[in-house]
Amino acid sequence: MKLDRFDRQLLNLVQEDAGQTAEQLAEQVALSPSAIQRRLRRMREQGVIVRQAAVVDPKQVGKPTFFIVALQVERERPELLAQLRRWLAGEEQVQQVFYVTGEADFVLVVTAPDTESYDALMIRMVGENPNIKRFTTNVALSLVKRGLTIPVALDDKE
């Protein structure tokens, strides 16, 4: 999908606050509210905007612990990787999964209410995915920044 400058401005704005009304966005983008709604609908239909979500303050909902996990697999056969990807995608506590280069094959961001819950998840993960060779865990001591925004350049040079 070809994105123009208005689309790109809208993407930056709704990534920061998707709760803004079309009228509020129109004031910032210099388009009519109906044009804003059409553009946002088109970008959702075309898969540019995948979903909208609320960003919740962890301290307000029980202060979960974040774990950064480096995961190594035994064999990188496509069917085994696909099985592991499906398993990880289906786990609510697994927040992010990156297939990476280097010593680890995957880097995960996992959240759990406590270390016991995390340990139970990892025992289940290893038990249900025999291709996992090993994993190492870092516990996040504090949350400095958390986000999923993708900076969108206002010009269309890619």
Side-chain angles (χ1 to χ4, degrees), residues 46-108:
Q46 295 291 318
V48 176
I49 297 174
V50 179
R51 68 184 171 118
Q52 293 177 206
V55 178
V56 176
D57 181 352
K59 291 180 222 162
Q60 300 295 325
V61 293
K63 202 173 179 184
T65 304
F66 290 89
F67 302 87
I68 313 305
V69 182
L71 182 67
Q72 290 180 322
V73 296
E74 194 72 44
R75 294 174 298 283
E76 293 194 55
R77 292 193 349 233
E79 68 277 8
L80 296 174
L81 291 176
Q83 175 188 351
L84 179 58
R85 284 183 171 128
R86 281 190 303 276
W87 192 95
L88 293 168
E91 288 300 318
E92 183 178 52
Q93 291 178 278
V94 178
Q95 299 292 298
Q96 296 182 44
V97 178
F98 299 93
Y99 185 50
V100 298
T101 61
E103 193 172 320
D105 297 302
F106 292 91
V107 173
L108 318 175

Side-chain angles (χ1 to χ4, degrees), residues 33-51:
S34 60
I36 297 288
Q37 290 172 332
R38 281 193 303 274
R39 286 173 178 268
L40 290 173
R41 182 175 49 248
R42 178 176 48 93
M43 287 191 281
R44 284 185 200 100
E45 290 170 354
Q46 295 291 318
V48 176
I49 297 174
V50 179
R51 68 184 171 118

